[in-house]
Amino acid sequence: MTGAAGAVHRFGETALLVDLPGLAAVRSLHRALATDAPAGVVDVVPAARTVLVRCAAPADVAGARAWVEGALLRAPSDDGPAPAGAVVEIPVHYDGPDLEDVARWAGVSVEEVVARHSGREYEAAFGGFAPGFTYLAGVDPLIAAPRLATPRTRVPAGSVALAGELTAVYPGESPGGWRLLGRTDARMFDVERDPPALVAPGARVRFVPSRVGASALAARADVVRGGDGRGTATPGATTGEDLAGRRSGEGPEGRRAGAGAGTKPAVEVLATGPLVLVEDEGRPGLAAIGVGPSGAADRASHALANRLVGNPATAATLEVALGGLALRFRRRAVVALAGAAVPATVDGVPVGMNAPVPVPTGGVLRLGLAARGLRTYVAVRGGVTPDAVLGSRSRDTLAGIGPAPLLPGDELTVGAPMAGRWPVLGVAPVRHVPGELRPGERAGAVLEVLPGPRADWFLPGAWQALRALRTVSADSDRVAIRLDGQAVPRRSGELPSEGLVRGAVQVPPDGRPVVFLADRPVTGGYPVIGVLRADDVDRAAQLRPGDRVVLRAARPS
């Protein structure tokens, strides 16, 4: 581990962000945490110059901080060579649209660019951006061209690209600003594979030129590789060719949220309104390969609905945006509604919120439209049980992982209820109704913000500007809410990508704050001025476009 000390910052209520001098130190701390993480650590996110350590609860943070600070003090003066990881060979058709531009930038031929890119071994340094997108360190400095001045709106899946000292493969279609050298048919991420990422941090990677139709280029690649010119894998290496195109149908990333394997459907979906998702507590522990935790956007309302029907906290509920859901039950059930208040009926008889509600065999539950708030949670005793993907039944709308949004005609299975008594009918006390203003809030919802790790990126007056009255913009979703209003002054420049937490308030160059929610990306490249308290993240998840918001510095606990 690098001898230079790192700086440890508190990052919200349950995380730490460790600043480090470079990739070698990042890799070293990440390896140490992967080998012997302290109790309570649920996710570790290595990035270009930081490591994010996320804990299960606020009480776990002190122990994690002591462990990290001790690890930094114990670091030897020389990091030494990285331990030998698995070797992954990725076949590449070097025919990318930026290949000639990189050659001109480097002052060499296209053949030389291909030879230098494919003629060395890379180390997988960290993940992020998208599931299976792994940043590979070790680009030849001669061809280390910077990223594009104007990013592309569409980069095809399988594009092999570089940006400065890093190279990578885009696992799926997305926007991107890296320079495209070629393409591969290797499937970089597959939820049916174990592990799902073809390249995980710590692995070693070689790019192997495939036939490109140019005899001179093929010959040059053959000389560099010392092989037969066909991209033959080194004996014992893992290759991507047999992992391409494994599934011709709809994959588990987006399979219908219907019956789980080997179970009998218990609920029929009659109507869905704008959007209905299956959500649970999420899938922590996979951030290093670019998979975020996801889970219910309003965790408190999800937990309350489960509690009211006697479910464990891990059970999946239905997250209903704005109402409009209708379900027919094929056997008797107990349900509960929590979150945004909606008018609801069972077989035409009105039923209330925040209370267990019996539904007879053949009964139909209908939800009207929410007047305030955004998301209503429907729990069914036993929990809805579509097949889990990577250990969770949650739909991650950013990554496209998990059961697809419900559609009319879908059928749902329900698990066995917990042993014990049925819940006693009654109404749970709810201190604040989601979507409504609280006492003393006149202009808009007041959300408390804890200081973030990047105070040095903000100019004088930033916190005063942050607390200006703002409006939730129309381009808000489960990934983040975007807030219009007075710009928050910040430095110009580019921050190396680093890990993000739920509730992080990021400020892009235009100064409009972005508050990240459940389906946030694993990493981000804009400075974070602060982090919402956990309860206020739930409240933020209930805001709809047009709602007014004030972000206020949190008062000491």
Side-chain angles (χ1 to χ4, degrees):
M1 199 179 287
T2 301
V8 183
H9 308 277
R10 188 69 181 256
F11 200 178
E13 293 173 297
T14 58
L16 301 167
L17 188 68
V18 187
D19 276 326
L20 293 162
L23 273 175
V26 167
R27 292 193 296 265
S28 186
L29 181 58
H30 179 225
R31 287 197 298 266
L33 284 162
T35 302
D36 184 29
V41 171
V42 295
D43 239 334
V44 177
V45 186
R49 295 188 181 93
T50 60
V51 173
L52 174 70
V53 181
R54 193 167 67 85
C55 300
D60 300 318
V61 174
R65 183 174 197 131
W67 189 97
V68 169
E69 290 175 342
L72 295 175
L73 289 173
R74 293 191 300 271
S77 58
D78 184 8
D79 185 61
V87 178
V88 180
E89 294 202 341
I90 299 176
V92 181
H93 302 279
Y94 281 99
D95 56 1
D98 298 322
L99 193 58
E100 291 186 0
D101 288 341
V102 172
R104 280 193 293 271
W105 181 89
V108 298
S109 67
V110 167
E111 291 80 6
E112 183 73 8
V113 172
V114 172
R116 288 178 177 271
H117 186 260
S118 62
R120 58 175 49 210
E121 191 173 277
Y122 300 90
E123 182 183 356
F126 56 95
F129 176 65
F133 189 100
T134 305
Y135 296 81
L136 307 176
V139 170
D140 188 316
L142 183 67
I143 64 169
R147 66 181 65 196
L148 298 171
T150 302
R152 290 181 170 90
T153 58
R154 177 184 175 274
V155 174
S159 294
V160 178
L162 67 76
E165 64 181 1
L166 298 170
T167 186
V169 180
Y170 283 82
E173 182 180 311
S174 71
W178 290 32
R179 295 184 184 267
L180 307 185
L181 303 183
R183 54 193 168 84
T184 180
D185 294 326
R187 191 173 181 88
M188 301 303 296
F189 188 82
D190 185 343
V191 297
E192 290 189 336
R193 189 169 62 213
D194 186 16
L198 179 61
V199 178
R204 293 174 294 148
V205 175
R206 298 189 192 102
F207 292 107
V208 181
S210 298
R211 288 190 180 275
V212 295
S215 58
L217 186 55
R220 176 66 178 174
D222 188 29
V223 171
V224 173
R225 296 293 304 149
D228 58 7
R230 295 175 295 175
T232 304
T234 300
T238 301
T239 68
E241 291 198 5
D242 60 327
L243 301 171
R246 287 181 48 184
R247 298 191 301 271
S248 58
E250 190 174 40
E253 295 96 330
R255 66 160 61 100
R256 297 256 37 89
T263 55
K264 187 176 181 180
V267 182
E268 179 186 358
V269 179
L270 304 179
T272 58
L275 181 66
V276 180
L277 304 174
V278 177
E279 299 293 343
D280 57 18
E281 292 187 312
R283 48 180 69 82
L286 299 172
I289 59 171
V291 179
S294 189
D298 177 354
R299 298 193 302 191
S301 295
H302 162 82
L304 174 60
N306 266 329
R307 198 159 57 245
L308 286 166
V309 297
N311 284 345
T314 54
T317 64
L318 302 181
E319 183 180 277
V320 184
L322 297 174
L325 176 68
L327 304 173
R328 176 181 287 119
F329 290 79
R330 292 178 175 170
R331 59 174 183 262
R332 74 185 186 99
V334 174
V335 302
L337 313 179
V342 293
T345 63
V346 172
D347 292 336
V349 178
V351 297
M353 298 285 299
N354 309 313
V357 175
V359 181
T361 300
V364 175
L365 170 69
R366 292 187 183 275
L367 275 59
L369 299 180
R372 289 176 297 275
L374 182 58
R375 295 178 171 95
T376 303
Y377 291 84
V378 180
V380 181
R381 191 164 202 253
V384 293
T385 57
D387 290 339
V389 177
L390 299 179
S392 170
R393 295 185 169 93
S394 284
R395 175 65 176 182
D396 185 330
T397 59
L398 179 65
I401 293 174
L406 294 184
L407 294 175
D410 283 347
E411 296 179 323
L412 295 167
T413 53
V414 174
M418 292 179 64
R421 297 173 55 190
W422 287 75
V424 177
L425 294 180
V427 178
V430 177
R431 186 177 178 187
H432 300 295
V433 177
E436 294 187 359
L437 296 182
R438 297 175 181 175
E441 296 179 342
R442 295 180 178 84
V446 177
L447 307 179
E448 291 202 336
V449 183
L450 297 161
R454 295 292 171 236
D456 58 324
W457 270 80
F458 295 94
L459 303 179
W463 277 89
Q464 182 177 354
L466 185 68
R467 65 175 298 160
L469 183 64
R470 301 184 179 279
T471 304
V472 178
S473 73
D475 56 350
S476 299
D477 51 25
R478 275 180 49 91
V479 176
I481 60 169
R482 293 159 177 84
L483 302 178
D484 293 331
Q486 182 179 347
V488 176
R490 48 152 286 186
R491 284 166 41 192
S492 60
E494 194 171 301
L495 178 73
S497 292
E498 56 191 26
L500 288 172
V501 297
R502 179 177 179 265
V505 182
Q506 194 181 72
V507 181
D510 66 5
R512 296 168 54 207
V514 176
V515 179
F516 284 105
L517 301 179
D519 289 351
R520 64 193 179 276
V522 171
T523 60
Y526 299 133
V528 171
I529 192 171
V531 182
L532 296 190
R533 290 193 185 278
D535 291 346
D536 280 339
V537 184
D538 290 334
R539 197 173 182 207
Q542 291 291 356
L543 297 173
R544 56 170 73 180
D547 284 348
R548 298 295 188 93
V549 181
V550 173
L551 300 178
R552 183 180 68 190
R555 296 166 180 167
S557 301

